[in-house]
């Protein structure tokens, strides 16, 4: 009789309760993944109040310059001469020396 009573208890189990717990776990995982990606790709500057400039793929054809001024983020894509829909062209090269000074060499 005791064995039968343990198998068939009178308390009801809530099937949706386990779904709510799974949703909570998924949300915690998603937030942790976003934080990991932001720190991995060094994008913490996007969330600060400081202005900055960042260059993706320097010296290559698909180079992009990303600037943040206040809350506005702008993306600039330089191009070769003769392109009508592009925004700019390469005019020189800048080198940073070991002491921190920057030298610009026009082309």
């Amino acid at each position: 009789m005791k064995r039968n009573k343990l198998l068939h208890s009178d308390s009801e189990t809530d099937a949706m309760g386990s779904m709510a717990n799974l949703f909570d776990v998924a949300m915690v995982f998603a937030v942790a993944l976003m934080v990991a990606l932001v720190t991995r790709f060094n994008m913490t500057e996007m969330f600060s109040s400081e202005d900055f400039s960042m260059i993706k793929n320097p010296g290559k054809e698909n180079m992009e310059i990303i600037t943040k001024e206040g809350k506005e983020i702008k993306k600039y894509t330089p191009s070769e001469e003769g392109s009508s829909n592009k925004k700019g062209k390469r005019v020189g090269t800048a080198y940073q020396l070991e002491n921190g000074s920057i030298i610009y060499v026009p082309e």
Side-chain angles (χ1 to χ4, degrees), residues 55-107:
I55 301 174
K56 289 176 57 178
N57 304 323
K60 297 182 180 174
E61 301 245 348
N62 59 347
M63 181 175 79
E64 296 176 347
I65 301 170
I66 300 170
T67 58
K68 179 184 175 210
E69 297 172 356
K71 292 186 177 183
E72 186 176 349
I73 299 174
K74 295 180 183 177
K75 180 177 153 184
Y76 175 75
T77 306
S79 67
E80 297 295 323
E81 290 183 60
S83 298
S84 60
N85 60 352
K86 302 291 183 169
K87 296 182 179 178
K89 64 179 181 173
R90 183 175 176 166
V91 293
T93 307
Y95 298 97
Q96 184 173 14
L97 301 178
E98 292 177 358
N99 63 2
S101 62
I102 297 176
I103 299 175
Y104 171 70
V105 180
E107 290 183 347

Side-chain angles (χ1 to χ4, degrees), residues 1-18:
M1 179 113 166
K2 284 185 180 181
R3 184 175 180 186
N4 192 18
K5 187 176 181 181
L6 289 175
L7 291 175
H8 302 292
S9 65
D10 291 334
S11 65
E12 294 182 21
T13 58
D14 185 16
M16 292 305 288
S18 61

Side-chain angles (χ1 to χ4, degrees), residues 48-59:
S48 70
S49 60
E50 298 176 8
D51 295 344
F52 75 93
S53 295
M54 179 174 64
I55 301 174
K56 289 176 57 178
N57 304 323

Side-chain angles (χ1 to χ4, degrees), residues 34-49:
M34 285 190 294
V35 169
L37 287 173
V38 165
T39 56
R40 168 68 174 100
F41 293 114
N42 297 326
M43 295 180 58
T44 54
E45 295 90 9
M46 295 286 188
F47 301 109
S48 70
S49 60

